[in-house]
Amino acid sequence: MTTTSEFRHASRPEEPALSVRQVLTLERVLAGEPEVVAGADGLDRAVRWVHVAEAADVGVMLTGGEMVLTTGVLLAGDEAKQAAYIQSLHRAEAAAVVLGLGRAFPTPPEVMRRAAERCGLPLVVLHRPFPFAELTEEVQSRLVRAKFAAVSLSESVRTSLTALITSGAPLQRLLDEVAQHSGCPVVLTNLAHRVLATAGERSAVDDVLRDWERIARQAGGSEGDGWVRAELGGRGERWGRLLLCGYRGDSATGRLLADRAAEALVLHRMLGGASGRTWEEQSAHGLLTDLASGTVPARHLLPRARAAGLPVNRRTFVPLVVPGAEPERLDRVLRTLGLTGLVAELADGATAVLLSLARDQDAEALTGRLAARLRTPELPDAVVAAADPRTCWDDVPAGLREARHVADAVAGAALDRPAVVRLRDVHLRGLIRLLRDDPEVQSFAERELDGLLCGGEGELLDVLRTYLATGRNKSRTAQLHHVSRPALYRRLEAIQARLGIDLDDFEQAASVHIALLAHDAQQG
């Protein structure tokens, strides 16, 4: 298993660092009256260490990122050495050079100033005598403390994320933990820059997602303004990215945090996570669940849907629910038909689909084609519960709830259902499903069916259910139950005797039918 941070220096591991600008604001440094006389554009360079050196060839002793302190006693009177000194520091990638005035140079040497300006190396002079040992002690103690804090944070993050993985926590819980440690929005994407999950303060995350199109285009660029990215992958294959968006700590700590988070996410994915779903499936499930629940206003979910790759501008949205269908199968059918949408398995085993169609596409015809593809010899009765198309994103939550209601209403219905069922098709069954939790309806169902429910007459209840669902068609009922007509008549007579009703009486039959629908809805 390997993870890599993309913003890493090629020759050495990143360590906590102060910038040249930060060093110059330290109280002890200010006492020396520092003045930047060249290379001001490089003041944000990282200072990894402080090195006191007078030798003209000091560059050969550096590894990069050092702030070099010198009095210049070995350079006075030799302009060639002064220029070579600056060039040597530049080649060694020093962070800056600090020259104490007074002993060798009463004023900033012009040759060194010009050479530093040409190569962009910050040259700082100190106008008051200043003990270099104090500056070395101050900076290096701060760097050591920062390194210790970074290591401590790294271990804290590793420990907390490992504990979550061990306990079977879902992906979202891990990202929430990373966001808590980083104090900034966290975004997980696939390699196509589609957002799979986010964490952090909602308003800050929404700000990131609203500008996601631009951010995604720049995803391969350099780090800046607290943006830290870690690649996710293993066994030589990459399959995702983690981004810390606007991390306010030092960049090295941010990279360390991103790497620790990436390691945990890779492990979580390899272990299959708590739900057994892929990250893509969890992303679609979370978005569709939030849309259907109505707990989050649809307009707040729009940036999230757009960042997830769902087309949302000038589109027609078709909410669907397919009972008993596997998300993978629906995904394959969508790709075969060239349709775009989100697919997610719901808690009751049904699968929700939100199609996003161009305005000139025929929503009804495409829904019919989708339903036809789902009906196979193995699943001849597959049905698609469809809500009416929506052209406004704010209406999508109501559409998803409508599709759920239709799917719920057709559950356990008679055979020979159409491939696509809409709200207008569920009639009385749909109304009963809405009222199934009403205590009065429950009492009515028990009272009407008491003669069969108390006696545990499951077979007679099944016969009654088929008989009423087929419109009291005795031939069809006998055929479906594989019994002769006389045997069916005996069962119907037993039902009427136990319930004390006449099934030839329309009102009594209707009353029992409603009670049976309510009973089935409650049991379902």
Side-chain angles (χ1 to χ4, degrees):
M1 177 178 68
T2 58
T3 61
T4 58
S5 175
E6 290 221 348
F7 307 112
R8 185 180 296 280
H9 193 283
S11 61
R12 63 175 183 272
E14 291 290 347
E15 298 177 0
L18 299 170
S19 68
V20 176
R21 192 186 307 277
Q22 289 173 318
V23 171
L24 297 182
T25 60
L26 297 178
E27 186 175 350
R28 290 186 180 183
V29 179
L30 291 175
E33 297 182 7
E35 178 189 1
V36 180
V37 296
D41 291 341
L43 293 180
D44 291 321
R45 288 182 175 183
V47 177
R48 295 178 49 254
W49 208 245
V50 178
H51 194 73
V52 180
E54 301 291 353
D57 59 349
V58 64
V60 299
M61 296 182 285
L62 305 181
T63 59
E66 293 90 350
M67 174 178 276
V68 177
L69 312 180
T70 183
T71 60
V73 291
L74 300 181
L75 304 176
D78 191 331
E79 293 185 348
K81 281 187 177 181
Q82 295 169 23
Y85 183 80
I86 295 297
Q87 287 295 330
S88 176
L89 294 179
H90 171 61
R91 286 192 298 270
E93 299 184 358
V97 59
V98 177
L99 175 65
L101 299 180
R103 185 176 177 183
F105 296 99
T107 60
E110 186 62 20
V111 171
M112 293 179 68
R113 190 197 68 77
R114 288 198 305 267
E117 191 67 43
R118 279 195 302 270
C119 63
L121 176 68
L123 173 60
V124 182
V125 297
L126 300 176
H127 289 279
R128 293 177 61 85
F130 182 84
F132 285 164
E134 290 187 10
L135 175 57
T136 302
E137 178 186 3
E138 175 77 9
V139 173
Q140 294 181 176
S141 65
R142 285 176 179 263
L143 290 174
V144 168
R145 288 199 300 271
K147 185 172 183 178
F148 176 79
V151 171
S152 177
L153 174 63
S154 171
E155 288 307 307
S156 174
V157 172
R158 189 200 300 272
T159 300
S160 61
L161 293 180
T162 300
L164 288 173
I165 294 172
T166 303
S167 66
L171 170 66
Q172 187 61 53
R173 184 67 188 84
L174 269 68
L175 293 179
D176 290 339
E177 187 73 13
V178 176
Q180 182 177 346
H181 282 287
S182 65
C184 68
V186 176
V187 177
L188 177 68
T189 77
N190 62 14
L191 293 181
H193 310 300
R194 290 189 175 182
V195 175
L196 302 178
T198 62
E201 184 181 349
R202 183 179 296 278
S203 59
V205 170
D206 287 346
D207 287 342
V208 170
L209 295 184
R210 269 191 289 272
D211 200 26
W212 185 251
E213 193 172 325
R214 178 187 64 81
I215 293 170
R217 286 199 302 269
Q218 297 178 352
S222 301
E223 179 185 32
D225 298 328
W227 288 79
V228 186
R229 186 179 77 232
E231 293 290 325
L232 307 178
R235 298 171 182 154
E237 179 185 6
R238 295 191 310 168
W239 29 256
R241 296 185 179 94
L242 177 75
L243 288 92
L244 306 184
C245 307
Y247 179 70
R248 295 184 179 181
D250 68 87
S251 60
T253 303
R255 294 185 194 110
L256 192 61
L257 178 58
D259 282 346
R260 292 295 170 265
E263 290 171 2
L265 293 176
V266 169
L267 179 60
H268 184 273
R269 178 174 174 122
M270 293 179 69
L271 293 177
S275 66
R277 301 189 186 105
T278 67
W279 287 354
E280 290 77 5
E281 290 170 348
Q282 292 181 55
S283 173
H285 178 268
L287 179 55
L288 290 181
T289 299
D290 287 345
L291 278 170
S293 68
T295 55
V296 181
R299 63 181 179 278
H300 292 168
L301 296 171
L302 187 59
R304 186 169 149 196
R306 184 182 290 113
L310 185 73
V312 294
N313 295 330
R314 296 186 58 78
R315 306 289 287 187
T316 296
F317 303 102
V318 185
L320 309 172
V321 171
V322 187
E326 297 179 351
E328 297 81 1
R329 185 176 177 217
L330 275 165
D331 266 327
R332 290 195 298 271
V333 172
L334 291 187
R335 288 195 295 270
T336 300
L337 296 176
L339 299 177
T340 302
L342 296 177
V343 178
E345 186 176 6
L346 305 176
D348 57 4
T351 298
V353 181
L354 179 61
L355 296 180
S356 175
L357 308 178
R359 290 287 176 85
D360 58 353
Q361 289 181 287
D362 189 331
E364 188 167 348
L366 289 172
T367 303
R369 290 178 61 191
L370 171 64
R373 287 282 184 140
L374 292 175
R375 285 200 162 179
T376 62
E378 294 77 20
L379 292 171
D381 300 313
V383 63
V384 173
D388 291 335
R390 265 65 176 175
T391 56
C392 176
W393 176 258
D394 288 343
D395 294 335
V396 168
L400 285 168
R401 290 192 291 272
E402 178 183 316
R404 285 292 301 270
H405 168 60
V406 173
D408 193 29
V410 299
L415 302 177
D416 304 324
R417 294 171 298 185
V420 179
V421 181
R422 304 182 187 278
L423 188 61
R424 60 179 178 266
D425 300 318
V426 298
H427 306 298
L428 179 61
R429 185 181 295 272
L431 176 62
I432 295 300
R433 288 278 169 167
L434 290 176
L435 300 176
R436 63 183 171 186
D437 294 325
D438 187 290
E440 295 296 333
V441 174
Q442 293 172 357
S443 296
F444 168 76
E446 291 179 7
R447 185 171 60 250
E448 290 290 300
L449 301 173
D450 182 63
L452 295 178
L453 296 178
C454 291
E457 298 290 350
E459 182 186 359
L460 293 181
L461 202 63
D462 287 341
V463 171
L464 176 61
R465 183 181 292 109
T466 305
Y467 179 64
L468 295 174
T470 58
R472 296 185 291 175
N473 186 321
K474 294 182 177 66
S475 298
R476 180 63 172 155
T477 302
Q479 179 184 12
L480 291 173
H481 282 270
H482 307 290
V483 298
S484 65
R485 289 284 294 269
L488 176 65
Y489 293 156
R490 288 193 295 271
R491 285 170 173 77
L492 292 178
E493 289 170 359
I495 291 171
Q496 293 179 105
R498 289 179 179 276
L499 298 181
I501 63 169
D502 180 4
L503 288 175
D504 290 331
D505 182 278
F506 175 79
E507 185 173 335
Q508 294 182 53
S511 180
V512 172
H513 193 186
I514 292 172
L516 188 55
L517 289 176
H519 170 76
D520 288 346
Q522 292 158 16
Q523 296 302 310

